[in-house]
Amino acid sequence: MIFRKTITYALILCLIIILPVSMFMPKSAVASLNGTLDMVSLGDSIGYGLGASAGQGYSELFYSYLQSRPELAGTRLYNLSQPGAQSCDLLDQLESDGNLKGHLGNARVVTVSIGGNNLLEPVIWCVATAYHLDPTDPKLDDKLDKAIESDKNQNNTLLRVALSETLETELNAGVTKFKENWPKVAELLKTQAPKSQIYVLTVYNPFPQDDLLFSLFDPYVQQINSTIKAGDGYTTADIYTYFREESAQKPLNFDLFQDQIDPHPTQQGHKMISQILTILFNLADASPWESKAGVVTNKTWTIKFNMPLADSAGKFVQVYTATGLPVNVTVKLGGVGSDSLSVFPPPNGYSSGPYSLLIKDGLLSESSRKLDRSVRMDFTVE
């Protein structure tokens, strides 16, 4: 009941007092959008944009979105990601790069993709060694592709590598290194970019889910992701789950058994990462209203407005996880000319954890009055 009253009041302000937006926007939010906004992209080759066409990496796509917003015009992008970087390389960059410290000091948005090479480098190294190739050879990709393609027993070769004690030892070492480095990296990010919203991508599993190597590799991926999710002072973007649940969109092509050894996201994959970052940014930018705790798993939210809604109103309401994933809810208007809508839970109910219900700007009343600023209600399911 409190939520219904609060949302109704918010939309009375937005639908009747359309301009200026600052009459409804919290002062802190207005201040955060004034002045030049710097975006800094840090991490590895994924942040650099490999796997996508020039200018179509997730950093550039998210940057373009920020520039498209009138209040963020003039945004500057500093993509300082380094292909091949591991967690220790990012730590060294934060500790020793004076120019980076300057950019972070003026940053309002920082994105980080790191950890994948802590695991992928041992895999590539062991596979290259199995084919008697030099892992440091700058032409390794081409040579490894030819070696795998010409190997009539490639399945057995790759399985021997996957099950070898050498690979297990190297993967464990990569995880240990990440766990040692990450708390220092996170603390330096918070210290050097005190005015910034920091988004950290989880590491995805590059192998197809029906591939035996997926299961062998996944425990190491999960250890790194658990370390990322356990930190504070930044927002986690759950790319791992999004790529897994939306594999039909082809975010990845990596498949050793099909001679596809590029582990980077496809152009579609980069677009998907950008979508998650955009969602998280919009959630942070929305006007927050009273949070709700102890919500039941089958909760239906009913939102009452002060005037009849346009038929399209339901498209502007969505529930998201705390890591930016859309939840499979159903939104229905109360009927023709209704001033309310209901948000029904996913078919199997909500899982335990935090969520945000977002009412997006642009929502229209039947008389074409528009919501000028997004509204967000956070809730936690027990």
Side-chain angles (χ1 to χ4, degrees):
M1 184 61 68
I2 293 176
F3 171 59
R4 178 181 294 189
K5 290 179 180 177
T6 302
I7 289 296
T8 301
Y9 176 63
L11 295 175
I12 286 174
L13 287 177
C14 289
L15 291 172
I16 294 177
I17 306 176
I18 297 178
L19 293 172
V21 177
S22 58
M23 293 181 65
F24 175 59
M25 187 185 297
K27 291 183 179 179
S28 60
V30 175
S32 70
L33 299 180
N34 285 336
T36 301
L37 174 81
D38 283 352
M39 173 184 164
V40 179
S41 179
L42 296 174
D44 50 28
S45 55
I46 302 171
Y48 188 80
L50 293 189
S53 301
Q56 296 299 304
Y58 80 76
S59 298
E60 288 73 24
L61 293 175
F62 183 42
Y63 165 63
S64 295
Y65 167 75
L66 296 176
Q67 282 192 312
S68 72
R69 295 175 51 138
E71 72 274 21
L72 302 181
T75 299
R76 299 176 298 192
L77 171 64
Y78 296 95
N79 191 340
L80 304 177
S81 302
Q82 301 176 342
Q86 298 187 37
S87 56
C88 58
D89 299 309
L90 177 56
L91 178 59
D92 180 66
Q93 187 181 16
L94 289 166
E95 289 178 333
S96 61
D97 190 333
N99 290 331
L100 172 58
K101 293 178 182 178
H103 293 315
L104 289 174
N106 196 47
R108 299 299 182 274
V109 174
V110 176
T111 61
V112 182
S113 169
I114 200 70
N117 286 316
N118 286 62
L119 301 179
L120 190 60
E121 185 171 291
V123 174
I124 299 300
W125 184 88
C126 288
V127 173
T129 302
Y131 285 106
H132 307 290
L133 298 174
D134 179 3
T136 64
D137 189 332
K139 296 182 179 180
L140 178 63
D141 285 353
D142 291 336
K143 293 181 178 180
L144 193 56
D145 187 32
K146 292 177 181 177
I148 295 175
E149 185 177 359
S150 62
D151 183 3
K152 296 180 180 179
N153 297 309
Q154 62 175 247
N155 287 5
N156 290 333
T157 302
L158 296 174
L159 284 175
R160 282 198 302 272
V161 171
L163 297 173
S164 68
E165 291 185 6
T166 299
L167 180 57
E168 181 181 3
T169 298
E170 293 298 323
L171 289 173
N172 280 318
V175 170
T176 298
K177 185 185 297 183
F178 185 89
K179 290 180 177 180
E180 292 174 351
N181 296 153
W182 181 249
K184 300 173 186 177
V185 168
E187 188 59 35
L188 285 171
L189 286 170
K190 289 182 288 185
T191 301
Q192 296 180 17
K195 299 177 289 185
S196 180
Q197 296 177 25
I198 302 171
Y199 302 104
V200 181
L201 279 57
T202 56
V203 174
Y204 57 80
N205 190 327
F207 296 98
Q209 284 185 254
D210 58 356
D211 190 330
L212 173 62
L213 295 179
F214 180 95
S215 299
L216 292 171
F217 198 59
D218 208 54
Y220 305 101
V221 174
Q222 295 297 350
Q223 289 186 66
I224 284 184
N225 287 342
S226 294
T227 302
I228 292 173
K229 292 177 181 179
D232 58 17
Y234 54 84
T235 300
T236 300
D238 192 1
I239 306 306
Y240 173 92
T241 302
Y242 195 38
F243 276 13
R244 187 184 62 186
E245 293 181 350
E246 300 297 331
S247 59
Q249 295 191 47
K250 300 296 184 183
L252 300 165
N253 284 326
F254 185 73
D255 191 336
L256 286 176
F257 293 105
Q258 298 298 322
D259 304 328
Q260 296 173 336
I261 62 173
D262 184 354
H264 300 101
T266 60
Q267 190 153 307
Q268 175 62 19
H270 278 278
K271 181 179 178 181
M272 293 166 68
I273 296 173
S274 174
Q275 289 170 346
I276 292 291
L277 293 173
T278 299
I279 289 169
L280 291 171
F281 185 87
N282 288 335
L283 286 172
D285 188 49
S287 293
W289 292 88
E290 183 179 3
S291 300
K292 306 289 286 186
V295 174
V296 296
T297 60
N298 62 344
K299 175 67 177 179
T300 295
W301 299 104
T302 299
I303 309 170
K304 186 173 177 62
F305 299 77
N306 69 307
M307 59 181 65
L309 299 171
D311 291 341
S312 63
K315 298 179 181 179
F316 290 82
V317 179
Q318 179 60 51
V319 175
Y320 298 97
T321 68
T323 54
L325 300 179
V327 180
N328 185 26
V329 297
T330 301
V331 182
K332 291 185 179 181
L333 290 176
V336 178
S338 175
D339 62 353
S340 66
L341 54 78
S342 296
V343 183
F344 296 93
N348 295 322
Y350 293 103
S351 299
S352 298
Y355 297 87
S356 293
L357 188 156
L358 182 67
I359 303 175
K360 304 172 187 177
D361 59 345
L363 180 147
L364 290 173
S365 72
E366 193 174 55
S367 58
S368 298
R369 297 195 175 217
K370 184 174 66 172
L371 179 68
D372 286 301
R373 181 157 176 77
S374 299
V375 179
R376 183 190 84 240
M377 185 199 74
D378 300 326
F379 64 95
T380 303
V381 175
E382 293 184 349

